[in-house]
Each structure stands twice: as C-alpha cells, then as structure tokens.
Amino acid sequence: MSGAEKIAVTVTDIVPLNALVTRFEFKRADGGLLPTFSGGAHTVVEMEDGAITRLNPYSLMSDPMDQTAYTISVRRDDEGRGGSMFMHQSVKVGDEMTISYPVNLFSLDLRAKKHLFLAGGIGITPFLAQIKQLERFNGNWELHYACRSEALGSYVDELTSHHPNETHIYYDDQNQAIDLVNLLDGQPLGTHVYVCGPKGMIEWVRKTADGEGWPREAVHYEEFLAPQPGKPFEVKLAVSNKVIQVGEQESLLEAMEREGVDAPYLCRGGACGQCETRVIDYTGNFIHRDHWLEDDEHASGEKIMPCVSRFEGKTLVLDR
Amino acid sequence: MTKFTFPESIRSRPVYGTLEARKGAAHLLIADAHGAEAILDVATPEMMAKAHIIYIPKGEAFEGKLRALKPAQFYAGPSYEAAESRIQKAFEDAKMGLQVYLTGTEGLMGQAQHAAMQAGIPHTAIQTEHRGSVARRMQCVHCKGITEDVETDPFVCAHCGLNLFVRDHYSRRLAAYQGVCIDAEDPGNVPEAKGIYE
Ligand code: FES
C-alpha cells in the first residue's frame, strides 16, 4: 500500500470561520489517542465522493502534543476539482473518514535562533501548529500574515490576542503589504524564515532572501499544490500492462489508483518527490506543476510527478 | 606551496573549496598565514566596503597587502586565542545576510567554523579555502589535550607526552583531528616520524 499509514477517524466538530474557510476536527474512531506530530506536518484526507476517491493534503493546525484530536482548516476552492467543495458541502459531524499518519515536509529547524514566519491566506495553518510547538519552550518567533481582508482573516483574532507582540497582520484590501527587504534586513544571525502561501509569495520571499545573502538552508517554504483539472489524456502503464484514461477532474495519480495500480505517494502536492515516475516514451507536451524536479529534468521529458502534473498529446508511456 | 590537494579520505574529514565573492549585507573574512592570498584573490572593492578582516599572520608578511584592500574593519592578532573574543563579538553583532569566508590552515578554519555554527550559520553556508601549511590541530584521545600545528605522523602529545598517530577522524565540535597512542602494546616501538601526507 502506498502513502503513509492510515487512521480511521470520526468528524467531531465543524466550524465555519468565514465565507471561505471551515475548520474540521477529527478524533480516532476507536476512541484511542492519535500520534503526536511536529509543527508543519500535514495529513492526507480521503474523500469518498461518489465514484471518485480523492486524497488531499491539509496542514495540521492543532497543538502537536494534543493526542485527543487533530484539526485542519479547508479553504473552499470554487475553481478546483471539488475536494474542498466536498469537505464544505458533504462532510457532516459524526461522519467516519480515513486520514493518513502525519507527514512533515515543512518542519522547524530547531537550531534556529529565531523563527520568522510569513503566511499568505490559508498558508497560516502550519504556523498555528508551529507556534504552539515553540510556545512550549519559549521559542523566539515572529509572524507576518497577509490576508485579503479583515472578513477573510482566519485566526487573526486568536493570534493577535494571544501573541500581540509577535503577530503582524497585513490586509490586501487596505493596501498593506509586508515590507520584505526591510524585514529581512537586520534579522539576527541564526534566523530562519518560513513561508507558506500562494506560489507568487513563495517565489518573492525566496528571491528576496537570496538577494539579501541569506543561506538557502535558512529559507523554508511550503506550497500545497492542489492538482488542477485539465484535458483528459491516455496513458500506457508499461509495468502494469494497462492503458488508462485520466479524466478532466482527476490527477494522473488518482487515475492510476482508480485502476488499482499501486503508485507511490506521500504529499500529493508536488513537494516530496515520492511519486516520481520515469517516462518511457511520449509524443506531446508535459504540463509539469511540481516543485520537485529541476527545470532541466522538466525539459528532458524523462520524468513526471503524477500527483500534480499532466500531459497533452498522443502517446505517453510510463514505467509503472 | 600554498595550495595543496588533500588525498581522498573518510567522510568525517572536512573538504575545502575555493572562496567566491557572494552577495551579502556584510562580509567577515578570517584567515591565517597564507590564507591572506585567498583573500587577495577574492576581494572586490564592493565587498571590502562592507568587510571585516581578522588576520593571524603567523610570521607571514601579508598584513600590508590586506590593509591596502581597505576593508571597513581590519584586525591582526598573534594567535587564534588572541583573536577569539574579537571573532565572538563579530558574530554576536552580525545580522542575517553576513557572508563568512575562512581561509588558511585547517586549525584556523575549523575553529572559526565552529564559532560561526554556534552563532547559527548553517555549515554549508560557510565558505572555506585551504592555503599554506597542511599542519593539523590534533586532540589526544587519551588526555584530551590539544596540540596545535602538528606536521608529522606520529607526533608527541604536547600535554601528556604519549606518542600519537595522526588519524583522519575529525571532530567538528572540537575543530580537531584525533591522535591515538601508537605504541600502547609495545611501549617505545615508535615508527620514524614522517610528514602527514608523505
Ligand atoms: S506525492 Fe509528493 S511529489 Fe508527488
């Protein structure tokens, strides 16, 4: 079986936070304790949406030491393929669901003298767990959180009331923006910066930090790429000896799973490298969307990350 | 000979590169003896305007040339120990964006790298370039004493007097290689001392 180990849970609480974001709480279905995790970890939630099974990663936002329940926050994506819609519309308190053991691809570097957190929108969630983790031993941290508007500022009240000195909020609709160059300039030696948010924000932070001479090891980022819908395509799986169709609303990885092919994965968001698959032959164009492969690997036509990337063209043969 | 190609060794043995000028808010360059040549090679006026050079000449005559680079701050001291509080202070006052360049003997680079890591710089972000003497800073595994600038193998521990064999096993924390007694089983049976890389 691919992916991290599974846990059967019950949905114990659903709290709408604002027009776009809803929080879900899970407890173990057998009443036992959940594993502890480290701040920044995510869980992969399985959604049985009619004939389709979707597995979407969400950052855990609860206290990493709290083994009684996990919480996640899901932002509704009206344009997406429906995973977040399913969570918002179909999931009810009392439902049984399956989630994965926590996997952390965005952990704190605890050697850091200071942790500088930069969040954009729903990118706030991993930091909520990291802040709880750091608060246990008085860690030195600071948060800069950009939200679209006051109405959409998830957890702003909680953060500003518990951590008034560490929290800085910026509202796009009030033309407030993080003054990044000034913020990076003058941070004490040993500071690590962490960014979670939209792609453009991550690129901006990485580029600016690099330009200011920050070591790459001190810059951490996480972007969850939800797989995007696209034109259907056909794939030949050489090892399994199958020809499968990838539908408009599913990822290549999901299509393989639907056909009973055991394909490896961990993050399902183009970040961990686990699903890397060799291309045996192709005629057409790849739509690479992952953060894992290097640009030259994308250009080579030799590899694809099936969790987020697609293909358009006549033939695609994979070593799977 | 100021550049030397070290033979392949075990993983714990540090490897050194060639300094390159990097973008940064400030530049800290720490060197001893022939390390001055690597600074002269890498220095640019732009870098020097924001540079702090800490130099331990060990009898070499590069101080004038280094001063002529016009770094924002310059210090020359007789030994690493003498320069140590200056180095500590430089790291304490430093901000993110500082670039660190270490060059000269292994002992100098090792100790300065340790100080840089303590200050929170990931070791992969610290540049090093070996120049000059291939002497090593050695720790006696028996008495734990450090002997500086060891040029021969075996050598005599400066603290306990045992005959020690020079190993490639390196401790980043101590910034020293390990020396292990060579004649423990048969006291007095000590091979003739040779250069470490002979
Ligand atoms: S599953 Fe992690 S990159 Fe595809």
Side-chain angles (χ1 to χ4, degrees):
Chain A
M1 188 189 65
S2 298
E5 260 186 84
K6 310 283 160 88
I7 310 172
V9 293
T10 308
V11 178
T12 46
D13 198 15
I14 298 178
V15 182
L17 294 174
N18 52 46
L20 291 178
V21 178
T22 297
R23 181 172 70 222
F24 297 84
E25 182 188 77
F26 303 117
K27 290 191 173 162
R28 249 189 126 100
D30 62 10
L33 293 177
L34 292 158
T36 57
F37 59 96
S38 54
H42 69 262
T43 181
V44 172
V45 178
E46 297 194 13
M47 303 168 204
E48 305 289 344
D49 187 3
I52 306 171
T53 304
R54 265 186 244 287
L55 292 88
N56 283 12
Y58 293 102
S59 294
L60 293 166
M61 50 165 283
S62 40
D63 183 341
M65 297 305 286
D66 181 359
Q67 296 184 260
T68 62
Y70 286 167
T71 53
I72 62 169
S73 289
V74 179
R75 183 187 188 280
R76 205 183 69 218
D77 180 0
D78 299 335
E79 255 98 77
R81 304 161 321 132
S84 65
M85 286 299 217
F86 174 82
M87 289 300 289
H88 276 249
Q89 290 167 359
S90 310
V91 174
K92 302 279 173 290
V93 171
D95 283 2
E96 306 258 310
M97 294 185 84
T98 303
I99 65 173
S100 77
Y101 263 64
V103 171
N104 201 342
L105 301 172
F106 189 51
S107 49
L108 295 170
D109 188 328
L110 293 172
R111 292 167 304 183
K113 309 267 177 205
K114 176 178 173 183
H115 305 271
L116 181 64
F117 298 140
L118 304 177
I122 193 66
I124 190 64
T125 50
F127 296 128
L128 296 170
Q130 291 181 331
I131 288 168
K132 288 173 193 122
Q133 183 180 341
L134 286 176
E135 283 294 298
R136 279 181 189 269
F137 52 93
N138 264 318
N140 184 8
W141 61 274
E142 191 177 303
L143 168 71
H144 296 261
Y145 175 19
C147 331
R148 254 206 257 165
S149 62
E150 275 182 49
L152 290 174
S154 312
Y155 306 109
V156 163
D157 292 346
E158 172 186 321
L159 286 161
T160 48
S161 63
H162 286 93
H163 312 289
N165 299 325
E166 291 86 359
T167 305
H168 306 263
I169 308 289
Y170 306 79
Y171 295 114
D172 294 350
D173 68 345
Q174 297 175 26
N175 287 321
Q176 298 168 338
I178 300 174
D179 183 358
L180 190 56
V181 173
N182 264 324
L183 181 61
L184 294 180
D185 188 29
Q187 289 294 335
L189 206 60
T191 304
H192 283 235
V193 63
Y194 303 77
V195 52
C196 186
K199 197 186 186 83
M201 177 177 188
I202 292 172
E203 274 163 17
W204 173 57
V205 172
R206 290 177 66 196
K207 242 177 102 184
T208 310
D210 184 58
E212 298 293 302
W214 283 53
R216 217 189 288 170
E217 297 79 0
V219 181
H220 310 262
Y221 57 94
E222 177 161 84
E223 179 198 5
F224 275 131
L225 291 172
Q228 293 296 309
K231 291 200 196 114
F233 60 101
E234 188 178 276
V235 191
K236 183 167 191 296
L237 302 173
V239 179
S240 328
N241 196 17
K242 279 187 177 161
V243 175
I244 67 166
Q245 310 294 326
V246 180
E248 194 181 331
Q249 295 294 329
E250 65 184 347
S251 69
L252 170 53
L253 177 61
E254 288 165 341
M256 290 195 280
E257 290 169 339
R258 171 172 52 74
E259 291 293 328
V261 174
D262 187 23
Y265 73 87
L266 207 52
C267 72
R268 306 181 79 90
C272 73
Q274 197 70 24
C275 68
E276 185 177 306
T277 304
R278 204 169 64 84
V279 174
I280 296 175
D281 191 19
Y282 73 101
T283 319
N285 296 314
F286 291 95
I287 304 164
H288 290 296
R289 298 191 56 252
D290 63 276
H291 293 301
W292 177 255
L293 299 173
E294 303 290 341
D295 290 348
D296 54 328
E297 291 177 301
H298 282 154
S300 73
E302 286 167 8
K303 289 171 182 173
I304 186 169
M305 308 305 287
C307 62
V308 289
S309 298
R310 305 183 69 90
F311 180 80
E312 277 179 0
K314 247 175 69 200
T315 345
L316 176 62
V317 186
L318 297 180
D319 184 16
R320 182 69 71 207
Chain B
M1 179 184 58
T2 65
K3 289 198 189 187
F4 179 79
T5 312
F6 292 104
E8 288 275 317
S9 181
I10 54 172
R11 269 198 59 184
S12 99
R13 193 195 197 299
V15 288
Y16 307 103
T18 303
L19 301 185
E20 57 173 71
R22 293 198 181 145
K23 297 171 285 195
H27 305 268
L28 178 61
L29 303 98
I30 306 177
D32 67 357
H34 287 278
E37 293 175 353
I39 295 188
L40 293 168
D41 285 351
V42 77
T44 61
E46 195 195 348
M47 180 199 287
M48 286 301 120
K50 296 184 283 184
H52 184 174
I53 298 179
I54 295 179
Y55 182 55
I56 297 138
K58 290 190 166 173
E60 302 295 335
F62 290 103
E63 196 180 321
K65 284 189 179 167
L66 291 177
R67 282 190 189 275
L69 293 172
K70 297 209 169 61
Q73 288 182 77
F74 183 87
Y75 165 88
S79 65
Y80 189 85
E81 288 67 50
E84 202 159 13
S85 60
R86 176 100 181 186
I87 291 170
Q88 288 298 354
K89 180 90 173 75
F91 282 122
E92 269 163 37
D93 296 345
K95 303 283 184 245
M96 286 303 283
L98 175 77
Q99 301 298 330
V100 178
Y101 309 78
L102 311 177
T103 174
T105 62
E106 292 201 75
L108 176 280
M109 291 189 284
Q111 291 175 89
Q113 183 177 54
H114 182 66
M117 286 167 64
Q118 289 298 108
I121 306 181
H123 81 92
T124 44
I126 302 166
Q127 294 195 65
T128 54
E129 178 170 345
H130 175 265
R131 291 281 184 127
S133 164
V134 295
R136 294 185 179 184
R137 176 178 151 89
M138 298 293 307
Q139 187 202 35
C140 171
V141 303
H142 311 284
C143 79
K144 309 292 178 208
I146 300 273
T147 307
E148 301 282 351
D149 297 324
V150 171
E151 285 176 346
T152 63
D153 179 19
F155 71 102
V156 175
C157 174
H159 301 262
C160 69
L162 282 177
N163 293 301
L164 303 178
F165 144 65
V166 172
R167 294 194 56 204
D168 270 359
H169 191 99
Y170 183 79
S171 157
R172 209 174 255 151
R173 187 175 57 80
L174 298 166
Y177 288 93
Q178 282 187 347
V180 182
C181 186
I182 200 165
D183 58 344
E185 319 239 294
D186 186 4
N189 182 4
V190 180
E192 205 187 320
K194 298 189 297 174
I196 294 173
Y197 299 97
E198 277 171 34

